[in-house]
Amino acid sequence: MNVFWHRRDLRPADNRGLARAAAADERVVPLFVLDPTVLDHASPVRVATLLAALADLRSQYRERGSDLLVVRGEASAAVPEVASEYDAKRVVWNEDYSGLARERDRAIRAALEDADIAAESLHDAIHHEPGSITPNQGDHYSVFSYFWKKWRDRDKREPAAEPDADDLAAVSGDPIPTLSDLGFDEPEATPPTVTTAAARERVADFCSGPIYDYAERRDFPAESGTSRLSPQLKWGTIGPRELYAATERAADRAESDDDRESVREFQRQLAWREFYAHVLAFNPETVTEDFSGYENEIEWRDDPDALAAWQAGETGCPIVDAGMRQLRSEGWMHNRVRMLVASFLTKDLLLDWRAGYDWFRRTLADHDTANDVGGWQWAASTGTDAQPYFRVFNPMKQAREYDPDAEYVREYVPELADASPAEIHGWHELSDAEREQVAPDYPAPIVDHATRREQAIAMFERARGEES
């Protein structure tokens, strides 16, 4: 027997580690471990999404005459125990790139070595593993445009072979624990459907039409211009090679250069995902520390009331509040709006990006350490390829440009349902009496953007040692 240990790759298809385990002259025991060390960093919406994805993965194995073993316990003990129970010669898994994952893997390798069981890991979640795309000096790129040029031109692997019934062991697992079994409450958000079938359906729908408008329409949150595949990629219900192959077929079907360029723009976003994975692999400390240091400490404000208003979507900035409420209700937020709410927290409220990252970690169903750390540090002007500190998103201007009819705002901020686009986008300019008449239950802005923009620039100049 061989054990294949699933982690963030909850699919049988296009799974390099599973294919490697199945290629040996041994049957494969599929395993997932609910590790309390990992669950300590989890949240209700993510665990609910995970459990549903595990149930779907189990059904796929049962269709093949096998099962998914779901066990609870420290992985360093649980994985060798399962391997010993089934007299496995080898345990195979796919790499993850966070510091926590690497510490866990070192402990498991040591435990398997003590038990005289071979261990093997593969790179599966990204096309090009960390260290394979490098500058002339250094171990990774810190500027995305250079990384993208090499990523774009590198050959991509074909999707990995899917195991059949003869490759799998006839095992039977215990019931999958519930949220309450694991000590989690029901999530406030409705978890997305994260299954292989749902992922493939979304890929097919996206690549049949919207991908050709992606470059032009992806920044408009009221439209269905994005793939919404981030939860599927987070949990690995579809493989990166299968997805990339679908985009290449879409490019082959393109009827114009603009269509092909739009497909390329979507592929560019896939490359961003891998760029941040490379950065995290070489800089695990950036989960809590700024990537780009300043001469002096950044003087982030300590304002619990402002943070609470931001979390609740009660800042009086309509586009920001719409995004934060979408997050609370769906466990997901449109990417353009993610940038706006992050800029608002760090540049308008002058609050530490780590507070925003922590909230995303708790509320996003698609929370990915590398992507979220990279995105938050970009917005805060502390990361790789960071937004320059003196460029501060104007949320009202952004709303006028990307939600001109205020459809997105009205969907998630019902207090403004009867307000006109001009009133919504000009909310900060209305008098108290006008706001009371238009939407009495919606708050006035808690900060003045123009004032805070100047304060943010001055704060960063002090951090840079440019102002006393």
Side-chain angles (χ1 to χ4, degrees):
M1 297 281 188
N2 284 332
V3 170
F4 178 70
W5 175 27
H6 282 278
R7 286 121 69 95
R8 286 183 46 185
D9 49 8
L10 304 184
R11 63 186 187 279
D14 189 24
N15 187 318
R16 294 191 67 225
L18 178 58
R20 175 68 64 86
D25 191 22
E26 299 286 343
R27 295 212 169 196
V28 177
V29 177
L31 170 67
F32 187 88
V33 179
L34 291 163
D35 188 330
T37 303
V38 177
L39 291 175
D40 283 345
H41 298 271
S43 68
V45 68
R46 277 193 289 130
V47 175
T49 306
L50 165 64
L51 295 179
L54 288 175
D56 176 69
L57 180 59
R58 165 168 279 182
S59 71
Q60 293 186 68
Y61 277 122
R62 286 180 172 177
E63 290 171 358
R64 294 165 171 80
S66 185
D67 204 348
L68 175 68
L69 304 183
V70 180
V71 302
R72 297 172 63 179
E74 294 284 347
S76 58
V79 173
E81 183 178 328
V82 170
S84 297
E85 179 181 351
Y86 288 91
D87 196 25
K89 299 177 180 179
R90 180 179 301 271
V91 176
V92 184
W93 65 86
N94 290 316
E95 292 276 354
D96 200 355
Y97 305 111
S98 70
L100 174 65
R102 293 191 163 201
E103 289 177 10
R104 175 187 58 185
D105 290 359
R106 283 192 289 269
I108 288 165
R109 286 184 182 278
L112 289 171
E113 184 178 0
D114 289 344
D116 198 26
I117 299 170
E120 183 177 5
S121 62
L122 286 83
H123 294 279
D124 171 81
I126 56 181
H127 291 280
H128 309 295
E129 58 264 27
S132 65
I133 297 180
T134 59
N136 293 331
Q137 295 182 338
D139 45 28
H140 69 89
Y141 279 105
S142 59
V143 177
F144 172 74
S145 57
Y146 300 136
F147 176 89
W148 158 242
K149 290 176 183 177
K150 289 189 176 180
W151 187 95
R152 177 190 61 197
D153 296 335
R154 293 282 177 93
D155 290 337
K156 308 292 186 289
R157 293 186 178 93
E158 294 297 317
E162 186 171 355
D164 58 30
D166 292 339
D167 296 318
L168 303 172
V171 296
S172 181
D174 294 329
I176 296 173
T178 65
L179 272 172
S180 60
D181 291 338
L182 298 173
F184 289 90
D185 296 328
E186 289 294 324
E188 180 179 355
T190 301
T193 301
V194 178
T195 65
T196 295
R200 284 176 166 167
E201 181 179 0
R202 187 165 289 280
V203 170
D205 289 346
F206 181 65
C207 288
S208 66
I211 196 170
Y212 301 120
D213 296 318
Y214 181 78
E216 183 179 351
R217 307 309 300 173
R218 67 186 179 93
D219 284 321
F220 292 82
E223 300 183 14
S224 299
T226 64
S227 71
R228 293 197 69 153
L229 283 166
S230 55
Q232 312 289 353
L233 291 169
K234 152 68 182 177
W235 295 110
T237 51
I238 192 165
R241 292 154 297 277
E242 181 177 343
L243 173 57
Y244 188 82
T247 66
E248 286 289 275
R249 291 192 295 272
D252 291 340
R253 295 191 301 269
E255 297 180 355
S256 68
D257 289 343
D258 286 346
D259 285 354
R260 278 184 285 275
E261 185 56 36
S262 190
V263 174
R264 181 68 65 159
E265 180 58 32
F266 179 72
Q267 293 175 338
R268 188 172 181 271
Q269 298 308 308
L270 299 179
W272 266 109
R273 178 175 174 268
E274 299 203 7
F275 172 71
Y276 282 141
H278 284 224
V279 172
L280 181 67
F282 287 104
N283 305 274
E285 72 283 355
T286 57
V287 175
T288 56
E289 299 177 15
D290 294 344
F291 181 89
S292 298
Y294 288 87
E295 182 177 330
N296 303 312
E297 287 190 16
I298 301 173
E299 300 165 355
W300 301 115
R301 297 177 70 247
D302 180 18
D303 190 339
D305 291 340
L307 177 61
W310 178 84
Q311 292 170 338
E314 296 284 352
T315 68
C317 181
I319 190 73
V320 168
D321 292 342
M324 298 306 295
R325 296 187 194 188
Q326 181 182 30
L327 176 59
R328 290 176 75 102
S329 65
E330 300 177 11
W332 186 85
M333 189 193 302
H334 187 277
N335 187 60
R336 166 61 58 171
V337 186
R338 293 190 197 203
M339 291 190 288
L340 296 181
V341 303
S343 177
F344 188 86
L345 182 83
T346 56
K347 304 295 178 61
D348 286 66
L349 300 183
L350 308 181
L351 299 179
D352 195 325
W353 66 266
R354 281 160 277 246
Y357 167 79
D358 183 64
W359 186 248
F360 271 27
R361 180 182 62 81
R362 287 189 275 163
T363 53
L364 278 172
D366 65 8
H367 165 69
D368 177 283
T369 301
N371 284 353
D372 283 348
V373 167
W376 272 101
Q377 293 225 40
W378 178 87
S381 303
T382 61
T384 62
D385 217 11
Q387 177 186 1
Y389 73 93
F390 50 83
R391 292 182 185 166
V392 179
F393 277 120
N394 181 322
M396 290 73 71
K397 180 180 178 181
Q398 291 277 314
R400 289 190 185 98
E401 183 171 358
Y402 295 113
D403 190 30
D405 297 324
E407 295 176 73
Y408 177 76
V409 167
R410 281 196 289 254
E411 179 177 358
Y412 293 102
V413 185
E415 303 97 306
L416 295 173
D418 296 326
S420 69
E423 290 166 334
I424 290 171
H425 299 321
W427 187 252
H428 61 293
E429 297 171 336
L430 300 182
S431 67
D432 289 342
E434 289 171 324
R435 293 192 194 104
E436 179 67 22
Q437 183 176 3
V438 172
D441 296 326
Y442 185 65
I446 62 173
V447 293
D448 175 71
H449 171 72
T451 300
R452 284 299 175 85
R453 177 184 181 278
E454 295 304 317
Q455 291 176 355
I457 291 173
M459 179 179 76
F460 277 95
E461 287 176 345
R462 290 193 296 275
R464 289 163 58 88
E466 296 176 0
E467 181 178 295
S468 60

